[in-house]
Amino acid sequence: MGSKMMFLNELDSIIEERKKTLPEGSYTTTLFQGGIDRILRKVGEEAGEVIIAAKNHDKDELSNEVSDLLFHIMVLLQDQGLSLKDVVSVLEARHKQ
């Protein structure tokens, strides 16, 4: 499980770097250049697809759609000056209560 979380941290760092450098040809760059409205549209679209996949009881589709949603949420967090680590800190604090 640890290596999987390491990958999420690595992905978070990649998204942060893409926000700073906006490399040409990067899908992440197009999201940041599209601004908050484009990012939020993608989060909403992916959330809807997660709901449909869950209702269809399709585990493969659900895994793919949750992956898409998580990626776009990570982009949203970076756009807003936050990271996945910030969210994990909140979850850890809630768990301790």
Side-chain angles (χ1 to χ4, degrees), residues 7 18 34 39 45-46 55-56 68 73 75 83 87 90:
F7 172 74
R18 294 214 171 137
I39 296 167
E45 174 187 316
E46 298 303 341
K55 296 270 298 169
N56 289 339
D68 290 346
I73 286 173
V75 171
S83 73
V87 174
V90 171

Side-chain angles (χ1 to χ4, degrees), residues 10-58:
E10 181 181 334
L11 181 58
D12 206 34
S13 295
I14 291 168
I15 293 168
E16 180 181 22
E17 182 63 24
R18 294 214 171 137
K19 180 184 177 194
K20 291 176 187 172
T21 61
L22 298 174
E24 192 174 326
S26 164
Y27 173 67
T28 308
T29 295
T30 65
L31 291 171
F32 286 126
Q33 289 176 333
I36 189 67
D37 287 342
R38 178 162 184 180
I39 296 167
L40 291 174
R41 250 190 326 271
K42 287 303 294 181
V43 168
E45 174 187 316
E46 298 303 341
E49 290 174 0
V50 165
I51 292 167
I52 292 166
K55 296 270 298 169
N56 289 339
H57 303 286
D58 186 329

Side-chain angles (χ1 to χ4, degrees), residues 40-91:
L40 291 174
R41 250 190 326 271
K42 287 303 294 181
V43 168
E45 174 187 316
E46 298 303 341
E49 290 174 0
V50 165
I51 292 167
I52 292 166
K55 296 270 298 169
N56 289 339
H57 303 286
D58 186 329
K59 289 182 180 183
D60 289 336
E61 182 183 1
L62 182 58
S63 292
N64 282 309
E65 297 304 340
V66 169
S67 296
D68 290 346
L69 178 58
L70 181 57
F71 171 78
H72 287 91
I73 286 173
M74 291 171 71
V75 171
L76 173 62
L77 289 170
Q78 287 293 334
D79 182 71
Q80 299 294 299
L82 295 167
S83 73
L84 194 57
K85 291 174 191 158
D86 296 308
V87 174
V88 170
S89 293
V90 171
L91 290 171

